[in-house]
Amino acid sequence: MGDLTSTRLSVVYIADYTTDGDPVFKVRQFRNILPQASNENLFNAAVAISSLQQNELHRVERNNSYELAE
């Protein structure tokens, strides 16, 4: 794999429910995350951030970008 260039943390919340009872999701994205940050640290940060929200935490995602070279 190429060189890791950036990491983004996405925190997915359940913002509401449809009339059918299906969840409506809201995503908060945090850029400029240290690529060296561990998955555990990112998850703990997301849980801490979500404790300040009114919406229910649904999922935490880590998105890494790599520079691909031949």
Side-chain angles (χ1 to χ4, degrees), residues 11-35:
V11 183
V12 182
Y13 298 100
I14 298 175
D16 204 355
Y17 291 91
T18 65
T19 55
D20 295 331
D22 296 324
V24 176
F25 299 109
K26 182 187 296 187
V27 179
R28 298 281 188 213
Q29 295 184 347
F30 300 90
R31 293 185 168 90
N32 299 320
I33 300 295
L34 289 174

Side-chain angles (χ1 to χ4, degrees), residues 3-55:
D3 294 329
L4 180 60
T5 58
S6 66
T7 297
R8 183 177 65 220
L9 174 65
S10 298
V11 183
V12 182
Y13 298 100
I14 298 175
D16 204 355
Y17 291 91
T18 65
T19 55
D20 295 331
D22 296 324
V24 176
F25 299 109
K26 182 187 296 187
V27 179
R28 298 281 188 213
Q29 295 184 347
F30 300 90
R31 293 185 168 90
N32 299 320
I33 300 295
L34 289 174
Q36 304 89 336
S38 71
N39 290 340
E40 182 179 1
N41 286 344
L42 291 178
F43 181 79
N44 290 338
V47 169
I49 291 167
S50 70
S51 72
L52 303 173
Q53 297 283 319
Q54 293 178 341
N55 298 321

Side-chain angles (χ1 to χ4, degrees), residues 48-64:
I49 291 167
S50 70
S51 72
L52 303 173
Q53 297 283 319
Q54 293 178 341
N55 298 321
E56 178 184 349
L57 178 63
H58 176 70
R59 182 174 61 237
V60 178
E61 299 175 352
R62 177 185 188 136
N63 302 292
N64 291 328

